[in-house]
Amino acid sequence: MATTVHPGACPLDCPDTCVWQLTVTDGRPVALRGDQEHPFTRGVLCGKVNRYLDAVTGPDRLTTPLVRVGPKGVGPVSYRPASWDEAVRRVADGLRASIDVHGPESVLPYYFAGTMGLVQGWSMGPRLFAHLGASRLRTTICTAASRAALSSVYGGSVGFEPESVVEAKLVVLWGANLLSTNLHHWPFVRQAQQRGAHVVTIDPLRTDTAARSDAHVAPLPGTDAALALGLMRHIRDLGAVDRPWVAAHTVGWDRLQARLDEWPVERAAAECGLDVDVVRDLGERIATTRPTAIRIGLGLQRHAGAGQAVRAIAAIPLLTGDFRYPGGGALATTSGHHRIDADRVARPAGMPAPPARSINMSRLAAALTDEADPPVTALVVFDTNPVATVPDQNRLRRGLTRADLFTVVLEQRWTDTCDFADVVLPATMQPEHLDLHTSYGHHYATLNRPVLDPPGQALPNTEIFRRIAAALGLDHPRLRDSDEDLARQLLDGTGVDYDELTRRTYVRATGVAVGSAPYAEGGFPSHDGRARFHDPRLTGQGVDPLVGYTPPVEVGDAVLARRFPLALISPAGRFFLNSTFASLPWHRSRTGPPRIHLHPVDAAARGLTDGDPARVHNDRGEFLATVAVDDATRPGLAFTYKAYWARLSPGGSTVNAVTGVRDTDLGGGPTFHDTRVEVQAAPAGVIQPGQPGD
């Protein structure tokens, strides 16, 4: 019996990018644990990934290409096995037919963070479609609002060094439920807390993280910018603005002062649904505590005013000069510190890539129905499951069932999206292919090498795209680059050496040192090194150039509230990671059935009790869920966890049946948390014990 241990990287959409150790016996994976030597993740895997081998070795892995022989939308019964030659030929024929009638822009590659790997996810696939002249995908569905806001204020997606938060005396976790979505940053925050730091969570819900914090502030969804403006006003009124630092390293302070005149604490508190003293006390803490670290999460980016919200929050430590100090400032993502430019590798120099329109991935339901001209008539989906993750689920399904739409899906197991494919191609998982990872939560790069044989005929994404390119008769040599070639190209000019990664697995990949204050003397990645309260570039985008407040659309609609009185948000759960694990028995058992969480006041007003079946609905659609009476929320606000699969849910729909296609003010992101619904009792028996989803 031969047993070996292999390092690798977790590929999933999480800021932590864990390094793991995979134990293999006689060619089979038998154990997975975290790498205890990694400086950030320190040997711990999250509750999701602890059971990752359930996904790798599961009996539901796709192992052969499949082609559709029956109607769309009914599942595996409509498909038969095919050889790779036949499947790839069908893909090439479908793409050619679309291009012949409507031109190359009728082809849309649709991908995201089913793997964060830069080789399998962000190089050969985008390279092929750019060379083909296909529509470009705007990858907006996660951090688009934050990226645009940080670019406006700081010049890039940068912030304080995350390990240095241990030096902070006040930690504000704003829209960040670390224990569910950024687990490995929590020990650093906890260390700061043990050293005397005061930890505050700002979140509409009393999350696990909020429960372990010293204070919890629960504003109405979508009002974060109003709270930030009120805090800045109070900081100014207390005389706590670091005026020398502001004068030396920012632009637009005089304009912002005038804006703050409009935002007394009383107005901010009323807009946020908070007690005035709560806002005043937090403002005083920030004003008097150095350093203060503000960790900006993803949840507050899911409403119409998300861009202005992130801008306003990012402005707070500029007023106080917290960037002077290690552990001080704000941080939403470390992405801007990493030097890898995946776009440069997707469209390499010397390789033709015709100009093409871009399509916002968050608007896929609209693009497949009435928004795209020319129409999208060929869709290639990889590293994502849009039927489970995209807004306006019912409209999306209508688009996917169009007779003139040719759809290809690269997948590891049968998902909701596979139901609508013409061709399904089996893809490898992380231990079966080579990949390269950076992180949006720390400063290390990691190499993942293949250590397992793929099941059946599964192939890496990169090899699938190489075969499609050959079948299309595309002969540019860059379409034949190996996975190692792609990894080396991604690292070129970054200061990270591929050969060193093969020896060490991970290396610190940025110039920001642990314990440093990288912007103590300014030097932000803007054109002049200054941060901006006022950004005139935004005027052309229809956005107020001055840091301000964009109210939520549906949540703030008093007329709509008469019909749909509950605001609805759909945060991440503890055991699903987007939709990746939502079909696996262990993960589903730990998560439980779809639930709609209601405050006791709202449940009583509807005659609902814990465990009742309920219908959650608005004009876009509905989904069924079990009532959970829960004072973790506030009156008027309901929540349900995202990422259930429709085909495994009661009624065949999920929360995205009620979310709408609407852009954030900056970046074109989705507005999942800017939704109104009503909840009413469902007929007894519509959710049966043991039904899929339980």
Side-chain angles (χ1 to χ4, degrees), residues 110 363-366 368-369 379 385-402 405 417 420 661:
Y110 193 88
R363 303 187 65 85
L364 182 62
L368 294 183
T369 49
L379 179 71
N385 179 15
V387 176
T389 59
V390 166
D392 208 344
Q393 188 175 82
N394 293 332
R395 187 179 178 189
L396 175 63
R397 284 166 157 166
R398 290 195 298 272
L400 288 169
T401 55
R402 284 173 26 211
L405 178 65
T417 305
F420 299 89
V661 176

Side-chain angles (χ1 to χ4, degrees), residues 42 182 294 389 396 599 644 679:
R42 299 179 173 184
N182 192 187
I294 302 177
T389 59
L396 175 63
H599 189 273
Y644 285 92
V679 179

Side-chain angles (χ1 to χ4, degrees), residues 140-201:
T140 60
I141 207 159
C142 188
T143 59
S146 177
R147 293 197 309 268
L150 294 171
S151 177
S152 172
V153 177
Y154 298 155
S157 296
V158 298
F160 66 77
E161 198 284 318
E163 296 173 56
S164 302
V165 75
V166 298
E167 304 294 337
K169 300 298 187 291
L170 172 63
V171 181
V172 180
L173 305 174
W174 202 317
N177 182 8
L178 299 191
L179 289 170
S180 285
T181 61
N182 192 187
L183 176 65
H184 298 86
H185 204 204
W186 176 254
F188 294 94
V189 173
R190 178 68 178 138
Q191 184 177 345
Q193 190 179 38
Q194 291 170 335
R195 293 167 62 175
H198 189 80
V199 178
V200 179
T201 290

Side-chain angles (χ1 to χ4, degrees), residues 39-106:
F40 190 79
T41 59
R42 299 179 173 184
V44 176
L45 297 179
C46 69
K48 313 168 182 74
V49 176
N50 267 324
R51 297 293 293 254
Y52 185 75
L53 295 186
D54 290 359
V56 174
T57 63
D60 59 340
R61 284 289 300 273
L62 294 174
T63 60
T64 187
L66 300 164
V67 298
R68 186 171 62 83
V69 293
K72 292 183 179 183
V74 299
V77 295
S78 283
Y79 296 79
R80 67 163 175 82
S83 68
W84 269 107
D85 286 345
E86 179 191 0
V88 170
R89 184 172 64 251
R90 283 185 178 237
V91 172
D93 290 346
L95 297 179
R96 284 196 200 96
S98 181
I99 292 168
D100 288 347
V101 175
H102 296 290
E105 288 182 324
S106 66

Side-chain angles (χ1 to χ4, degrees), residues 125-383:
R127 177 180 291 186
L128 165 62
F129 292 107
H131 184 57
L132 198 61
S135 292
R136 306 270 169 78
L137 187 71
R138 289 178 58 202
T139 53
T140 60
I141 207 159
C142 188
T143 59
S146 177
R147 293 197 309 268
L150 294 171
S151 177
S152 172
V153 177
Y154 298 155
S157 296
V158 298
F160 66 77
E161 198 284 318
E163 296 173 56
S164 302
V165 75
V166 298
E167 304 294 337
K169 300 298 187 291
L170 172 63
V171 181
V172 180
L173 305 174
W174 202 317
N177 182 8
L178 299 191
L179 289 170
S180 285
T181 61
N182 192 187
L183 176 65
H184 298 86
H185 204 204
W186 176 254
F188 294 94
V189 173
R190 178 68 178 138
Q191 184 177 345
Q193 190 179 38
Q194 291 170 335
R195 293 167 62 175
H198 189 80
V199 178
V200 179
T201 290
I202 301 176
D203 197 301
L205 306 178
R206 191 182 69 249
T207 63
D208 292 342
T209 304
R212 298 193 192 187
S213 300
D214 298 298
H216 174 213
V217 177
L220 291 166
T223 62
D224 304 276
L227 176 56
L229 289 165
L231 293 172
M232 286 191 282
R233 166 66 183 269
H234 196 50
I235 290 165
R236 187 198 70 178
D237 290 352
L238 290 172
V241 174
D242 187 338
R243 292 181 182 272
W245 196 90
V246 167
H249 304 302
T250 72
V251 173
W253 167 235
D254 289 343
R255 294 173 186 260
L256 181 59
Q257 284 218 72
R259 167 92 8 117
L260 296 182
D261 289 342
E262 305 167 5
W263 282 95
V265 170
E266 293 78 9
R267 179 187 176 189
E271 187 70 22
C272 298
L274 295 170
D275 186 274
V276 172
D277 287 339
V278 170
V279 181
R280 187 176 288 120
D281 289 350
L282 180 57
E284 184 170 348
R285 277 194 181 276
I286 297 173
T288 58
T289 309
R290 307 275 75 75
T292 288
I294 302 177
R295 184 69 168 95
I296 305 171
L298 302 182
L300 61 90
Q301 298 180 58
R302 311 290 192 240
H303 57 80
Q308 282 286 44
V310 176
R311 289 182 76 207
I313 297 166
I316 294 172
L318 299 177
L319 265 65
T320 56
D322 272 295
F323 279 107
R324 287 182 184 270
Y325 314 101
L331 172 69
T333 167
T334 61
S335 299
H337 293 285
H338 290 270
R339 303 183 182 98
I340 291 177
D341 182 359
D343 286 341
R344 175 180 58 82
V345 175
R347 294 188 289 276
M351 184 178 187
R357 68 179 175 186
S358 64
I359 289 180
N360 183 342
M361 71 179 306
S362 299
R363 303 187 65 85
L364 182 62
L368 294 183
T369 49
D370 59 11
E371 194 169 85
D373 183 18
V376 173
T377 52
L379 179 71
V380 181
V381 179
F382 57 102
D383 297 337

Side-chain angles (χ1 to χ4, degrees), residues 591-617:
T591 302
R595 294 184 177 92
I596 183 69
H597 295 253
L598 300 175
H599 189 273
V601 169
D602 293 321
R606 291 159 178 78
L608 296 170
T609 60
D610 205 72
D612 285 348
R615 172 178 171 257
V616 186
H617 65 97

